Amino acid sequence: MSSNVSRRSALGLGAAAAAIASVGVSSPASASGSGPSRIRKVYGREKARAGGVWHTHIAAVDRAGALRPIVEDDADHVTQGYSVQKLAVATAVMDKIDRGELTLGTKLDLPASIILGGSGIYHLHRVWGDDITVANFLTAMLLVSDNTAVRMCGRVVPALEINEILAAKGFVHTRVEPVANPNRFFLGTTTPREMHDLLWRLGNRTLLAPESCDFLLSITRWLNGYHDGVRRVMSSGERQRVATKYGADFNTLGESRHEAGIMFDAQGAPVLTYAMFAEGLGEPENYGATHPAVEAHAKIGRTMMDNLPATTRSLRESHTQPAPFRPVNGG
C-alpha cells in the first residue's frame, strides 16, 4: 500500500517528468508517423509538457485481433487509483449480482448520515431519505463519480468481499483499503496494466456476465459523463465510442490526474485501451479542463481516436452498438 496521504480519506472515515525515452516502444515507428507511432509520439510530448510522474499502459488490436502494447511506461507501478477505482468497485457489485446474491433493483435507503461531498450529485439534494436501487447508485458512481455511491456499494459488498472478488478475477494489486467499519474503505490501489486488463475484459464482455458488462459500458460510454480529458475534442458520436473513468486527488507527491478507458471502432468492436496515471503534478485545486495533465489527456485522446486500428469482420460480430443519443424536448 502506498503511504501517500490522500485527501479522499473521508471515504474510509464515515519528481520531475520522466524522459520521453522512458516510454516503452513495442513496434518500430512507421514512416508516415501514423498509428501506434503517432500515439507514442504525442503521448511522450504531452507527458513532458504536463510534468509530473506518469504510469501508463496503452494497447490496441492488430488486424488479426491480437492485443499489442503501444505505450508501456512504468505500467506495473502500484499507485493510488482514486476515482478510477470506482470501476473495480462496480465490478465487484456486478459480480455479486451475477451470482444471484443481489439485483440491480435491490433498494437501500439514502440517509443523511452517509452523504459525502466532493464529486457527485447526492450531496446536492439537501434533503435525504430516498429509497434508491443498486442501479441508481452505480450509475451515479460511474457517470458523475459520486462519492456517496461508494459508501452505498460498501453496504452491499463489504470491503473484504470486494478484495476477494477482485483477487478471484486475477487482479493482484487492484484493491480497496479496508478500515474499521467493514462497509467503508479507501478507494485503494491498482496498476496501469491491471486497469487495462479490467477494461479489455469489460469491453469483450468476459469480465462479468455479458449483460452486466453491457450495463457498465452503457454508463461509462454515455454523453453525460466526463468530457474534460480524453473525450474533450470529439463529436457526440465519437464520445459514445469511448468508455472512460477519471480520477483526481492529491497526495504528498503533489496533484494526481488519472484517466482510464476503452475505445470502440465505428462498428462496435473494442480496439484500444488506455490507463494513464499521473502524479506529482502542479496546479493544486485546478480540477478543470485547463489542468496541464487533463489537457494532455485531451490531446492524447484525440490522437488515439484518429489512429484506431482497423478490425476484421470476425472481430465485430459479437459486439453490439449502444443506442444512439437522441435529444428529447420534454412532453
Side-chain angles (χ1 to χ4, degrees), residues 28-42 45 303 306-307:
S30 67
S32 64
S34 62
S37 64
R38 179 62 180 164
I39 294 170
R40 282 192 290 271
K41 180 178 179 180
V42 172
R45 181 190 71 203
T303 303
D306 288 340
N307 290 274

Side-chain angles (χ1 to χ4, degrees), residues 124-287:
L124 300 173
H125 289 188
R126 298 196 181 187
V127 293
W128 299 279
D130 300 358
D131 286 338
I132 62 174
T133 63
V134 171
N136 183 311
F137 60 74
L138 283 177
T139 301
M141 184 174 72
L142 294 180
L143 194 68
V144 294
S145 205
D146 194 284
N147 290 328
T148 300
V150 176
R151 286 183 167 180
M152 296 293 282
C153 289
R155 293 171 67 188
V156 295
V157 190
L160 292 179
E161 186 178 358
I162 290 174
N163 286 341
E164 289 171 356
I165 291 169
L166 294 173
K169 291 186 177 297
F171 300 109
V172 176
H173 302 292
T174 304
R175 297 286 188 273
V176 299
E177 185 178 347
V179 294
N181 183 333
N183 302 111
R184 302 278 177 87
F185 48 85
F186 298 119
L187 283 168
T189 59
T190 189
T191 71
R193 195 180 307 277
E194 288 198 3
M195 191 52 61
H196 145 79
D197 183 44
L198 184 151
L199 289 161
W200 184 244
R201 290 160 64 186
L202 180 64
N204 280 285
R205 304 167 82 208
T206 58
L207 180 68
L208 300 156
E211 59 272 21
S212 295
C213 292
D214 288 344
F215 174 69
L216 297 185
L217 288 169
S218 72
I219 300 167
T220 51
R221 293 176 69 171
W222 196 238
L223 293 183
N224 299 110
Y226 178 72
H227 293 153
D228 282 351
V230 164
R231 300 202 294 183
R232 189 194 314 179
V233 192
M234 293 184 186
S235 69
S236 57
E238 288 172 328
R239 284 174 172 175
Q240 280 198 281
R241 290 167 50 194
V242 183
T244 200
K245 186 68 191 76
Y246 173 63
D249 210 315
F250 66 86
N251 55 42
T252 53
L253 296 176
E255 296 294 315
S256 295
R257 300 291 182 269
H258 307 330
E259 191 167 359
I262 184 165
M263 292 186 174
F264 297 78
D265 70 9
Q267 290 73 39
V271 292
L272 182 146
T273 63
Y274 56 91
M276 300 181 286
F277 294 83
E279 57 187 353
L281 301 163
E283 296 208 12
E285 304 304 318
N286 181 0
Y287 295 98

Side-chain angles (χ1 to χ4, degrees), residues 73-97:
D73 186 1
D74 201 15
D76 296 306
H77 178 81
V78 179
T79 189
Q80 293 288 331
Y82 299 126
S83 286
V84 171
Q85 291 289 93
K86 292 170 183 175
L87 288 168
V89 174
T91 295
V93 175
M94 296 306 299
D95 182 85
K96 196 163 185 173
I97 289 173

